[in-house]
């Protein structure tokens, strides 16, 4: 055992290593201190003491250093050697990740003037509606920023004061503070029903109008929501968002639940028509819907308190029950509040209709953009849940080629029903490659090795012990329980399109199918 004097003699790089490990894992000092407390509350460092350790002004005790080492899955000796391992102690600088673009030449063809002429023609030829295109633009913006919108977070915190959980009564009080009135309805007004293509009781087939805003300041809420408090909270939060962010300017905001074959829903449940025309109002309405939906999540699950709760609960999906919010709200907020930035989120209806998606790190999709596909890869966890609801954990480790390189993904899915009684699957997951690289391992090599094992197993296989050890270490650092559960199941090879199936023989060749309708 090393005494304090021995630690002092070998602590020259200790603070630097702790600081950069913390930053490479996107942890604040508060996050690291909280993690240490869960390992051993008696010897865990406080935030202020961590700060002094990182600046070299204090040397931790042997027990304290052991706790810090446990959080990062390192040997204590790693912090005490005098070898400045460049990759280990120097955090990579640059952008925060997210989807990447490509250089387009000749660049003059991509000027604003040319694009604004060409885009409407492209939409018309591909059958993409103006509203869908608006949501694709917003999705790209969202993914480029890795779902990080501090101005919307602050707006929600100013209103909700970071309280968690918020009750229905508290949300109604907040709405009234914004000058909003609450009214209840049993029938959708005839004019609104006609606009949506339905009848006076509900919107089109399999949809229910849950609420709408009517200028100058009234929120009309479906009486059915009294039996669905989680959905009621979300609708109230969205309308509060419209009032706070958009000054109740009179734009009609209609919220629905469900899905049908003639319309597509945006991520927050607002209705989108299929007109191929593109106009400024499409972009404006879609952006405001997104802002209000993000605001609602931030109001119901404020960033710091929610991240601390997730950290204590190991990012379990059932955490949403503690807050009285829907699994959808809770899972979407995970992608925004986690200290780890490389997330994705899907919401899919059978047989392959997409309602919402957050495509962090540019993960390829096994379906067309907002369109039903005939033969999505059935090995994706989200589709396995749709077609054959699982018993026990749904956690899955997947190998997916992105470009020419395999990446390791892990996700957790849950099967739910909306108010219109439509079954759908929510799925949240992460890209493990950045986490593996952050620990000084070679993620590309590990992914190739795991892919080779799956190929030999016909498309899926138990994870080899050596790889399982490496992934388990990363899982404990991330503190996400379902990552560890996924490691105990077979890894599966998945593909974004039938023509790219990596299995031998190909799933699609075996069925005589080689294309996917986009």
């Amino acid at each position: 055992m090393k005494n304090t004097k021995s630690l002092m003699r070998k602590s020259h790089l200790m603070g630097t290593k702790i600081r950069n490990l913390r930053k490479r894992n996107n942890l604040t000092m508060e996050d690291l201190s909280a993690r240490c407390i869960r390992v051993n509350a008696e010897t865990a460092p406080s935030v202020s003491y961590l700060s002094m350790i990182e600046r070299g002004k204090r040397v931790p005790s042997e027990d304290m250093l052991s706790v810090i080492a446990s959080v990062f899955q390192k040997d204590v000796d790693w912090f005490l050697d005098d070898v400045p391992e460049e990759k280990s102690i120097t955090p990579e600088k640059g952008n925060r990740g997210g989807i990447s673009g490509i250089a387009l030449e000749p660049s003059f063809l991509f000027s604003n003037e040319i694009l604004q002429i060409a885009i409407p023609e492209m939409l018309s030829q591909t059958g993409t509606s103006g509203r869908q295109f608006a949501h694709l633009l917003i999705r790209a913006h969202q993914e480029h920023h890795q779902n990080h919108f501090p101005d919307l977070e602050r707006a929600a915190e100013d209103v909700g004061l970071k309280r968690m959980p918020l009750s229905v009564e508290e949300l109604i009080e907040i709405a009234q503070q914004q000058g909003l009135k609450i009214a209840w309805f049993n029938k959708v007004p005839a004019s609104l029903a006609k606009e949506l293509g339905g009848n006076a009781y509900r919107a089109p087939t399999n949809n229910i109008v849950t609420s709408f805003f009517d200028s100058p300041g009234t929120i009309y809420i479906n009486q059915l929501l009294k039996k669905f408090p989680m959905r009621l909270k979300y609708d109230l939060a969205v309308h509060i968002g419209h009032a706070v962010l958009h000054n109740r300017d009179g734009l009609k905001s209609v919220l629905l639940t469900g899905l049908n074959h003639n319309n597509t829903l945006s991520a927050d449940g607002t209705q989108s028509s299929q007109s191929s025309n593109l106009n400024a109002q499409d972009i404006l309405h879609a952006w405001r819907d997104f802002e209000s939906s993000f605001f609602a999540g931030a109001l119901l699950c404020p960033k710091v308190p929610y991240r601390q709760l997730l950290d204590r609960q190991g990012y379990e999906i059932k955490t949403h029950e503690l807050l009285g919010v829907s699994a959808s709200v809770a899972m979407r907020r995970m992608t925004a509040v986690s200290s780890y930035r490389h997330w994705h989120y899907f919401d899919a209806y059978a047989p392959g209709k997409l309602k919402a998606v957050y495509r962090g790190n540019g993960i390829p999709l096994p379906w067309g953009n907002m369109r039903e596909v005939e033969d999505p890869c059935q090995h994706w966890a989200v589709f396995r849940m749709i077609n054959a609801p699982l018993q026990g954990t749904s956690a899955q480790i997947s190998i997916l080629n992105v470009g020419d390189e395999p990446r390791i993904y892990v996700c957790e899915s849950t099967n739910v029903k909306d108010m219109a009684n439509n079954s759908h699957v929510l799925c949240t997951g992460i890209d493990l490659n950045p986490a593996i690289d952050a620990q000084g391992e070679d993620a590309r090599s590990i992914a190739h090795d795991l892919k080779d094992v799956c190929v030999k197993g016909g498309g899926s296989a138990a994870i080899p012990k050596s790889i399982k050890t490496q992934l388990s270490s990363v899982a404990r650092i991330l503190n996400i329980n379902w990552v560890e559960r996924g490691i105990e199941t077979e890894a599966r090879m998945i593909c974004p399109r039938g023509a790219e199936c990596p299995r031998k023989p190909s799933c699609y060749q075996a069925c005589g199918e080689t294309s996917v309708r986009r």
Side-chain angles (χ1 to χ4, degrees), residues 208 210 222 224-225 228 231 257-258 417-422:
I208 293 177
T210 56
N222 195 320
L224 290 173
L225 263 64
F228 297 90
R231 176 70 199 208
T257 184
K417 284 191 175 184
D418 60 30
M419 283 178 54
N421 207 36
N422 301 297

Side-chain angles (χ1 to χ4, degrees), residues 457-510:
S460 61
I463 300 175
K465 185 176 180 180
S466 59
I467 296 178
K468 184 181 290 188
T469 299
Q470 292 169 309
L471 297 184
S472 295
S473 177
V474 170
R476 286 189 286 272
I477 294 170
L478 293 174
N479 191 38
I480 301 175
N481 291 347
W482 39 265
V483 176
E484 295 198 64
R485 291 200 295 270
I487 294 167
E488 297 302 320
T489 65
E490 288 191 340
R492 292 173 175 264
M493 294 174 63
I494 60 177
C495 63
R497 294 290 184 266
E500 300 174 22
C501 179
R503 293 169 176 250
K504 299 184 186 302
S506 165
C507 302
Y508 296 87
Q509 290 174 346

Side-chain angles (χ1 to χ4, degrees), residues 364 400-407 500:
L400 173 66
N401 274 2
V402 180
D404 297 326
E405 292 294 335
R407 301 188 76 87
E500 300 174 22

Side-chain angles (χ1 to χ4, degrees), residues 41 140 150 158 205 220 259 265 289 320 329 427 445 456 473:
D158 289 344
T205 307
Y220 287 88
L259 196 67
L265 299 184
D289 288 344
H320 78 93
V329 168
C427 179
S445 175
K456 292 177 182 177
S473 177

